[in-house]
């Protein structure tokens, strides 16, 4: 009996020792900190389309270059400059390409505006020459360059600008009367700057300011009257400020590691 107890005790001691040895071999698993969350970078690369609305200011200038009519009151060298303002709204389409924080792009816009004015000639006291002008279409094709900070893009732009411009005159006070008008497309250049913000992966909002200047065109205002009543006229400059919203296609999120 005694020998059996000794044998059982010896066996138990061996099992306990073996258990401690096995536990010692199982080293504790090292603690690994979860990777920090990296906020995705907004990717500006891709095509986009959108719309804009705001205010525009046109500085119209027209100077008489020849007058052989009986009704025209201005002589060569005389003319006027007038400023008119109104709403502007339209659409934009473009493409951006991003390299690191730098963004380059090409954009085209078409806008309708309602800038107009009326000038009554008082050079000879009668005030019977009533000039009217309007600028109602504005188009641009520009290059853009900007710097992005996450979802923010600060950019400048520059390129071509064109505007549809009309000038007319009406004289209903005798002894001679007449009326005429002409519309021309004025070519010029534009520069601007803006800020855009990506509110989602595809939707972008922003604000923008632009300035454009144009070359002169010759307007013949004699109408059906005998002679010529010609003017060198142009929108001397157009300025506009707008808010924009665009939808950008194919804009995958890029994560920085």
């Amino acid at each position: 009996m005694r020998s059996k107890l000794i044998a059982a005790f010896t066996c138990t001691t061996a099992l306990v020792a073996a258990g401690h040895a096995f536990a010692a071999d199982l080293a504790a698993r090292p603690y690994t900190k979860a990777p920090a969350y990296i906020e995705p970078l907004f990717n500006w690369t891709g095509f986009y389309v959108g719309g804009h609305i705001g205010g525009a200011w046109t500085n119209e200038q027209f100077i008489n270059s020849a007058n052989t009519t009986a009704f025209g009151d201005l002589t060569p060298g005389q003319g006027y400059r007038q400023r008119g303002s109104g709403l502007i709204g339209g659409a934009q389409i473009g493409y951006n390409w991003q390299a690191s924080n730098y963004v380059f792009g090409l954009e085209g816009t078409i806008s309708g505006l309602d800038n107009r004015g009326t000038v009554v000639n008082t050079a000879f006291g009668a005030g019977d020459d009533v000039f009217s002008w309007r600028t109602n279409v504005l188009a641009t094709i520009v290059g853009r360059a900007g710097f992005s900070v996450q979802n923010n893009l600060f950019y400048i732009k520059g390129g071509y600008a064109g505007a549809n411009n009309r000038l007319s005159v009406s004289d209903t006070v005798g002894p001679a009367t007449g009326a005429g008008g002409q519309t021309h497309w004025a070519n010029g250049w534009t520069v601007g700057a803006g800020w855009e913000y990506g509110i989602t992966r595809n939707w972008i909002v922003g604000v923008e300011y632009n300035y454009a200047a144009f070359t002169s065109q010759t307007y013949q205002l004699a109408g059906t009257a005998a002679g010529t009543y010609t003017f060198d006229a142009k929108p001397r400059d157009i300025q506009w400020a707008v808010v924009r919203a665009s939808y950008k296609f194919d804009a995958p999120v890029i994560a920085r590691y």
Side-chain angles (χ1 to χ4, degrees):
M1 181 66 179
R2 181 179 178 182
S3 62
K4 291 182 178 180
L5 290 174
I6 292 172
F9 177 77
T10 302
C11 182
T12 302
T13 303
L15 289 174
V16 171
H20 282 294
F22 181 73
D25 290 338
L26 294 177
R29 297 182 62 183
Y31 171 74
T32 303
K33 185 179 180 181
Y37 172 74
I38 304 297
E39 183 179 357
L41 290 177
F42 188 84
N43 183 13
W44 292 93
T45 298
F47 287 97
Y48 61 89
V49 296
H52 54 266
I53 189 170
W57 302 264
T58 298
N59 192 8
E60 183 78 8
Q61 174 181 293
F62 50 97
I63 299 173
N64 181 247
S65 56
N67 180 15
T68 60
T69 65
F71 76 89
D73 290 338
L74 295 189
T75 59
Q78 293 182 319
Y80 292 94
R81 182 185 297 174
Q82 188 181 49
R83 194 170 184 82
S85 61
L87 293 176
I88 184 172
Q92 67 267 1
I93 182 171
Y95 180 83
N96 285 325
W97 175 73
Q98 182 172 357
S100 184
N101 291 94
Y102 298 95
V103 179
F104 305 93
L106 183 67
E107 180 180 273
T109 69
I110 184 72
S111 307
L113 61 162
D114 189 30
N115 292 1
R116 62 180 65 213
T118 301
V119 179
V120 179
N121 173 42
T122 58
F124 300 101
D128 55 349
D129 262 5
V130 180
F131 294 94
S132 298
W133 62 270
R134 75 167 186 265
T135 308
N136 58 0
V137 177
L138 175 65
T140 68
I141 301 174
V142 299
R144 305 202 314 170
F147 187 82
S148 66
V149 182
Q150 292 288 0
N151 291 39
N152 297 276
L153 176 62
F154 305 91
Y155 64 89
I156 57 176
K157 58 187 289 189
Y160 168 82
N164 193 64
N165 194 65
R166 179 169 179 80
L167 179 64
S168 59
V169 65
S170 176
D171 186 345
T172 60
V173 178
T177 62
Q182 207 165 40
T183 301
H184 284 299
W185 183 261
N187 296 305
W189 54 267
T190 181
V191 294
W195 163 77
E196 289 186 322
Y197 180 77
I199 57 176
T200 70
R201 173 174 170 172
N202 300 102
W203 284 103
I204 302 169
V205 296
V207 294
E208 187 178 87
Y209 167 80
N210 300 275
Y211 175 90
F214 301 88
T215 59
S216 293
Q217 300 279 344
T218 299
Y219 291 72
Q220 170 60 264
L221 306 185
T224 58
T228 61
Y229 200 23
T230 59
F231 287 78
D232 291 331
K234 62 181 177 180
R236 188 173 181 269
D237 59 67
I238 300 177
Q239 302 177 58
W240 65 102
V242 294
V243 294
R244 297 161 45 108
S246 301
Y247 183 85
K248 181 166 64 67
F249 299 94
D250 301 325
V253 174
I254 297 178
R256 179 172 54 192
Y257 297 98

